[in-house]
Amino acid sequence: MKDQRDKALLATLLYHGLRREELCRLSVKDAQQMRRGVMHLRVQGKGGKTRYVPLHPAAGMLIAEYLEGAGHGADASGALFRALRGRRDQAPGLTPDAVYKIVRGHTAALGFEVGAHALRATAATNALDHQADIAKVQEWLGHANISTTRIYDRRQSRPEDSPTFKVRY
């Protein structure tokens, strides 16, 4: 069950660019929001702001498999991602620190160590690399100011995009 939970958790971070705290606040019903015929995550962001983020099909599938295996899919108001200790129906939700440790553990096994926030920046950069509009990415990440979103835009740091390689004589 740990593997199913961790895959669903990592997919949720990577496909939706959530903050650790936002991920920890997700309830089961927050991952089952239908809007305009598309499944969404209802995300409780900074400052009590709620936003709806379309649920990526790959993450949705992993979440469904995790809920089925964990057995708490019917507990709509309970935490989506739960600790493994205790009774299944009463296990506490993960803390932001636990999410950090899960991400660090999995990335260390791959030969590098990053925190959950790096996955947020990766999601933003990936979306921008694939022609997502920066204003949409701002909304998606829940940033109040677009200048914050630009910090996540790592496209300018790619050497192959340098003006050096655009010069022609």
Side-chain angles (χ1 to χ4, degrees), residues 21-92:
E21 296 80 9
E22 293 171 342
L23 182 94
C24 292
R25 284 191 211 117
L26 289 175
S27 68
V28 172
K29 68 182 170 197
D30 288 335
Q32 300 170 338
Q33 299 293 308
M34 185 66 74
R35 295 173 63 89
R36 297 183 182 190
V38 176
M39 291 299 292
H40 282 66
L41 292 173
R42 181 176 50 214
V43 179
Q44 303 299 319
K46 279 186 173 180
K49 295 178 186 170
T50 301
R51 67 185 189 280
Y52 289 86
V53 177
L55 181 62
H56 191 281
M61 180 189 69
L62 290 168
I63 290 169
E65 289 172 2
Y66 159 62
L67 288 173
E68 184 177 328
H72 68 273
D75 182 11
S77 61
L80 176 60
F81 295 107
R82 298 180 182 194
L84 299 175
R85 66 184 185 280
R87 287 182 38 195
R88 284 184 178 185
D89 60 341
Q90 295 179 345

Side-chain angles (χ1 to χ4, degrees), residues 126-146:
N126 190 301
L128 292 165
D129 274 344
H130 292 93
Q131 285 70 51
D133 180 77
I134 195 163
K136 293 285 188 187
V137 173
Q138 173 192 357
E139 181 182 321
W140 182 61
L141 295 173
H143 287 156
N145 193 313
I146 201 159

